[in-house]
Amino acid sequence: MENSPNSGATEKPAASAGTARMSDLKLRLASAVVLGPLVLLIVWYGGLPYHALLCFAGIAFLSEWFHITGTGKKSSTAIAGYLAVAGSIVLFMLGQPLVSLGLIAIAAVLIWLVNGRTLNARWATEGLLYAGLSMLSLAALRNGAFGGQFLFFLVIVVWATDICAYFVGRFAGGPKLWRRVSPNKTWSGSLGGLVFAIVFSGLYIHFSGQDNLISWLVLAAFLSVISQAGDLAESAMKRRFSVKDSSHLIPGHGGIMDRIDGLVAAALAAAILGLALGGSLLDPVAGLGLS
């Protein structure tokens, strides 16, 4: 009898925490069921809807970056950043990749200089460069004749990494990956996400009739690691500024940054790798030698 009050006090918070986690998981799944197919449909269709999606995502990403790092979301700096991101995507869609890159570069330099080269100016400049170059990478990766299939491959790698790392980590537990930055991530989850990303993307490539499977699998492993690094980088940034979610735009998922942090990192890495191996600004995938 003497122990029952203490026992009840310890059980209630545990039950409450479990209920909250289950509710959060249901909300995440509901959002994914609604938004996932819509995003895949737009990626498949390409064209104007795809570039419009990139404009929206790029502006939302940059707005959340500004909010986290202390730049007013409606300031002149922010508006210049939004216009640069949207303008660069429009220019790319019109077949002007060098001009689109130049617009991002000029806007970044102006933001850096006009804001007095302060720490806040550095964060704002880095945010514009990251958002702008990431969206241009996603535009370029979709642009070539092989682009639609590659974008599906990239999305499968990133989503499999993210989803499977979550469930494997919860099931297997074990040592933390980087406790100070992201206390819930484990080595088991990270490795599980990597393995399942290779498996699911490999199945996609096999059933889509592509050759050179080993090259695809090696690339999947590389992009899975980069995706996780992008996720950790955003977690480190939010911890630096004592922010839990980048926004509350997507129910159960937080903001755009929270949802596409791994995707933009992987897309940027894939585009840079493709260019380094001989691809063009309009079609970096051609340099990856996958066909």
Side-chain angles (χ1 to χ4, degrees):
M1 290 295 292
E2 293 177 359
N3 293 333
S4 58
N6 289 335
S7 175
T10 56
E11 287 174 6
K12 278 187 177 180
S16 177
T19 302
R21 283 195 296 269
M22 183 59 66
S23 177
D24 181 63
L25 179 58
K26 289 179 179 178
L27 192 58
R28 286 170 66 92
L29 288 174
S31 296
V33 166
V34 173
L35 295 177
L38 177 61
V39 169
L40 292 176
L41 178 63
I42 294 174
V43 169
W44 170 79
Y45 188 83
L48 183 59
Y50 179 68
H51 289 91
L53 177 63
L54 292 183
C55 282
F56 168 76
I59 291 171
F61 188 99
L62 188 56
S63 174
E64 291 174 359
W65 182 291
F66 285 153
H67 172 68
I68 292 170
T69 59
T71 295
K73 293 192 292 184
K74 297 182 180 179
S75 65
S76 58
T77 294
I79 292 171
Y82 304 150
L83 290 174
V85 169
S88 68
I89 295 170
V90 171
L91 286 167
F92 186 92
M93 186 173 61
L94 295 175
Q96 301 294 327
L98 277 177
V99 181
S100 65
L101 286 171
L103 177 59
I104 293 294
I106 292 170
V109 170
L110 289 176
I111 285 176
W112 169 247
L113 294 176
V114 169
N115 286 280
R117 293 174 289 180
T118 61
L119 181 60
N120 189 62
R122 192 199 79 185
W123 279 107
T125 302
E126 290 174 352
L128 172 58
L129 289 172
Y130 193 35
L133 294 178
S134 297
M135 294 306 124
L136 286 177
S137 295
L138 285 166
L141 292 172
R142 177 65 181 82
N143 192 58
F146 198 47
Q149 189 171 54
F150 184 83
L151 250 295
F152 269 95
F153 165 78
L154 179 64
V155 168
I156 288 170
V157 168
V158 173
W159 285 3
T161 299
D162 187 32
I163 295 169
C164 296
Y166 174 80
F167 284 105
V168 171
R170 289 196 64 182
F171 176 78
K176 300 298 182 181
L177 180 62
W178 194 356
R179 186 186 297 272
R180 185 169 63 86
V181 168
S182 188
N184 293 324
K185 289 184 172 63
T186 61
W187 279 103
S188 63
S190 176
L191 293 174
L194 172 62
V195 169
F196 279 104
I198 294 171
V199 170
F200 284 119
S201 63
L203 289 172
Y204 167 72
I205 292 303
H206 173 72
F207 286 110
S208 62
Q210 286 297 317
D211 297 324
N212 208 0
L213 181 61
I214 298 301
S215 295
W216 282 100
L217 296 181
V218 170
L219 182 60
F222 169 70
L223 294 177
S224 176
V225 171
I226 296 297
S227 172
Q228 295 188 56
D231 190 350
L232 285 171
E234 195 220 354
S235 295
M237 175 184 169
K238 290 191 296 184
R239 189 162 290 273
R240 160 71 173 76
F241 289 96
S242 302
V243 174
K244 183 179 184 298
D245 294 321
S246 59
S247 76
H248 302 288
L249 182 64
I250 307 174
H253 292 275
I256 289 290
M257 283 184 67
D258 299 318
R259 193 80 308 268
I260 66 171
D261 49 8
L263 178 64
V264 294
L268 188 55
I272 292 172
L273 181 62
L275 289 172
L277 295 177
S280 68
L281 289 174
L282 283 172
D283 188 9
V285 175
L288 296 175
L290 299 171
S291 57

